[in-house]
Amino acid sequence: MPDLVLCIHRASPMTALDLSFQYLYAAPGRDAPLAGGAISLSGDRIAEVKPAVSSRGGLLAMPALADAHDHARGFHHIGFGAKDQKFELWRAALYAQPPIDPYLNAALAFGRLAQSGVGSVMHVYSSIRVDRLIDDARAITRAARDVGIRLGFVVPLRDVQTLGYGPDQELLALHDPRDQAFVKETWLYPFPSPERYMELVREVARAIEGPTVTVQLGPNSPQACSDGLLEAIGDASARENRRVTTHLLETSIQRKWADASYPGKFIRRLCDMDVISERFTGAHGVWLRPDEVAMMAERRAQIAVNLSSNYRLRSGVAPVDSYIKAGMPFSFGVDSFGFDDDDDALRELRIGHWVFSPLDTDAPLTQELLFRGWHQNGFLAVNGRNDYGRLTPGAPADILVLDYEALSYDLIENMIDPLEVVLTRASSRHVKSLYVAGREIVRDGKVTGVDLPAIEREVIAQTRRGAERARALKPVLERSQATLEEFYRAGGHTRAAR
Ligand SMILES: [Zn+2]
């Protein structure tokens, strides 16, 4: 294998760069690679793509990945006892998370994602503390800017069914009498009106939006929103051309709730309200039926597939072949999970390729659709822009550079397409560099903008300071989980018609 080389010539500070690669995949799965390719950057755009003057080897380039669904949890949930299990019970354990500085927690997650090739991330923020929303949004945006990643910040919106898929008062009454006062005080905040929520979204947008940051409407899930709130969201999305993200039919329990509450018209109702439109990204979509997929495809709405999350939370496997048959766009997200609990987007990409391209379907996931999801569709979901997916003059200068020398260390040369090697082996340890908007935000596998190991140490130290409170909460949460388990086992969610 030839010597590893990355030639960087700064023509003028921060304005122009020339990069050369052994293999340049401008649009993987669609365009053949350029063996010995070079890219010139100008500002935040690609100026030129051309054959390299001298084709020295070792590096492989493609567009940076877009993580279309994430919660940017730098401190992993298992750290405070939220073990992998059925989603509805896992969710209750999240209340044990000790207080963590929102800047540090987000920077840690963004940094890890960048180190695995992610240049754009959708951060579905989940706190229902409306009083802290603007400050938290500013801190999270500062974290994204310091790391250098593009951010879609999703404003959390919900106003019903906080405890589970049934009326809060009914679920509260089922809880252990010892815990009811605590549960009510801690988890059942009064929610703002739909009008106030829409004002808040505009306030957040004014505070943080910019060239690499967008703000989206984030109904937590259809079961957590009143009709009035969903109508306000659809209306604001259409009027302000703002994108919408929600969790959609993630679990079998949600499917049964939806069928009981809105028989035969669950998705149609969301379409009629303009919640589902070409501006829409639904996360998961595991339990969508073909007729519902067809409705979403007709509106050019998309689903963000979250494979590791769906395995770990026992939710199932998304029917991607039905998405492909209907021509519905789809993207991919890490969802703060990852197969090894490490937020590795490249491993997520590879395993998705295996799972969704079986031979016994007539609509397998092709390489073209796989990368269209991680590039073009994901970038649209996060940034609301349609100008991404191919490294070409004028396109955003978001480039993932892999250490092909390390990936191919034992291969007989010219026996295999380098992209197959990526799809067999690539993970974050092969990320050499990541450029986002023309800036090198990962160099030699390390984040350049922040001291990530120091941030991780501080996050762990903060959570240790909250350890006593977390341990005190453990029995309360376990009793709450037992209550929820019994509620769902007895079909409480199927009596939830509103
Ligand atoms: Zn999620």
Side-chain angles (χ1 to χ4, degrees):
M1 193 56 60
D3 288 334
L4 184 126
V5 69
L6 168 65
C7 302
I8 300 178
H9 309 292
R10 285 180 187 260
S12 61
M14 297 307 290
T15 57
L17 281 174
D18 289 327
L19 314 171
S20 67
F21 309 99
Q22 184 180 2
Y23 295 105
L24 173 52
Y25 283 86
R30 282 185 283 164
D31 298 356
L34 205 55
I39 300 179
S40 302
L41 310 184
S42 176
D44 63 356
R45 303 256 166 189
I46 291 170
E48 199 180 358
V49 178
K50 60 198 171 190
V53 180
S54 57
S55 173
R56 288 165 294 177
L59 300 175
L60 181 152
M62 67 170 68
L65 307 178
D67 175 358
H69 186 79
D70 211 282
H71 297 272
R73 295 191 175 110
F75 190 68
H76 292 122
H77 356 87
I78 197 164
F80 52 86
K83 65 174 185 183
D84 294 352
Q85 59 181 319
K86 187 85 186 138
F87 167 79
E88 280 78 10
L89 305 184
W90 168 84
R91 181 182 161 266
L94 291 182
Y95 290 110
Q97 182 185 301
I100 310 172
D101 178 87
Y103 170 87
L104 295 174
N105 205 23
L108 182 54
F110 295 153
R112 267 197 216 113
L113 290 167
Q115 287 179 170
S116 76
V118 170
S120 293
V121 63
M122 179 95 86
H123 181 4
V124 180
Y125 188 56
S126 304
S127 171
I128 52 172
R129 289 296 301 271
V130 170
D131 53 329
R132 291 207 299 252
L133 181 62
I134 304 268
D135 287 345
D136 287 0
R138 282 189 209 274
I140 289 163
T141 303
R142 196 158 50 82
R145 292 209 169 110
D146 288 352
V147 170
I149 208 164
R150 293 183 198 267
L151 171 67
F153 182 83
V154 180
V155 179
L157 307 168
R158 61 176 309 150
D159 63 353
V160 291
Q161 305 201 142
T162 306
L163 298 178
Y165 314 147
D168 281 330
Q169 289 312 318
E170 183 189 327
L171 271 154
L172 181 64
L174 294 174
H175 274 70
D176 191 299
R178 279 173 290 176
D179 303 330
Q180 286 184 13
F182 175 82
V183 168
K184 190 175 175 195
E185 223 170 89
T186 318
W187 303 337
L188 296 181
Y189 291 110
F191 292 107
S193 67
E195 297 72 34
R196 176 64 194 131
Y197 260 140
M198 296 308 107
E199 269 171 35
L200 261 173
V201 174
R202 288 190 286 271
E203 279 170 40
V204 172
R206 278 195 296 276
I208 67 170
E209 271 188 333
T212 58
V213 179
T214 64
V215 167
Q216 311 204 6
L217 294 150
N220 172 278
S221 53
Q223 62 272 12
C225 297
S226 65
D227 284 356
L229 181 54
L230 288 171
E231 275 161 16
I233 289 165
D235 188 50
S237 169
R239 247 183 317 108
E240 298 165 26
N241 194 29
R242 194 172 292 289
R243 292 192 67 85
V244 178
T245 283
T246 193
H247 296 97
L248 192 69
L249 293 175
E250 177 173 357
T251 69
S252 59
I253 293 179
Q254 290 173 12
R255 174 81 259 179
K256 286 183 187 130
W257 174 86
D259 287 344
S261 302
Y262 303 99
K265 56 179 186 184
F266 176 66
I267 292 293
R268 175 161 303 287
R269 173 176 156 271
L270 295 171
C271 292
D272 290 346
M273 289 171 156
D274 258 348
V275 172
I276 292 182
S277 74
E278 73 277 9
R279 297 174 297 279
F280 178 84
T281 307
H284 305 291
V286 174
W287 293 87
L288 279 168
R289 298 192 178 112
D291 60 312
E292 295 170 328
V293 173
M295 261 181 252
M296 291 183 63
E298 210 177 284
R299 283 160 181 81
R300 302 300 297 158
Q302 64 166 294
I303 286 289
V305 175
N306 301 277
L307 183 65
S308 59
S309 165
N310 295 154
Y311 274 131
R312 290 181 53 184
L313 298 181
R314 281 59 164 179
S315 301
V317 176
V320 168
D321 58 346
S322 82
Y323 305 170
I324 294 170
K325 276 184 209 156
M328 182 182 74
F330 55 91
S331 49
F332 297 91
V334 180
D335 198 17
S336 299
F337 276 89
F339 284 94
D340 293 333
D341 207 29
D342 57 358
D343 307 292
D344 191 326
L346 281 164
R347 190 176 290 111
E348 188 84 24
L349 180 154
R350 286 195 292 109
I351 297 179
H353 178 237
W354 302 336
V355 170
F356 298 121
S357 59
L359 286 173
D360 58 356
T361 169
D362 50 1
L365 180 69
T366 59
Q367 286 186 5
E368 176 178 354
L369 288 168
L370 173 73
F371 285 104
R372 191 186 291 277
W374 279 101
H375 292 150
Q376 186 178 318
N377 297 342
F379 197 88
L380 171 66
V382 176
N383 303 301
R385 287 168 53 171
N386 255 322
D387 59 349
Y388 192 71
R390 178 176 272 120
L391 300 176
T392 191
D398 291 19
I399 305 165
L400 167 58
V401 183
L402 294 172
D403 183 348
Y404 190 69
E405 184 167 87
L407 277 164
S408 63
Y409 73 99
D410 60 348
L411 302 182
I412 299 174
E413 275 191 74
N414 299 324
M415 287 297 288
I416 188 136
D417 177 347
L419 199 57
E420 292 289 355
V421 182
V422 170
L423 289 172
T424 304
R425 293 181 167 175
S427 68
S428 58
R429 72 181 190 277
H430 300 109
V431 172
K432 190 78 180 165
S433 296
L434 184 72
Y435 294 84
V436 175
R439 173 179 161 203
E440 190 179 20
I441 73 165
V442 174
R443 184 184 302 138
D444 291 327
K446 302 274 180 284
V447 174
T448 58
V450 298
D451 183 346
L452 208 60
I455 287 177
E456 185 166 54
R457 284 194 297 275
E458 176 55 25
V459 164
I460 292 170
Q462 288 190 3
T463 56
R464 297 264 154 90
R465 288 200 282 277
E468 208 169 310
R469 175 189 161 273
R471 277 193 291 269
L473 267 177
K474 194 167 183 264
V476 181
L477 297 176
E478 283 170 356
R479 285 193 290 271
S480 179
Q481 286 173 316
T483 302
L484 289 169
E485 194 170 15
E486 186 46 40
F487 173 78
Y488 292 123
R489 187 177 293 130
H493 55 298
T494 61
R495 296 191 304 271
R498 288 184 291 171

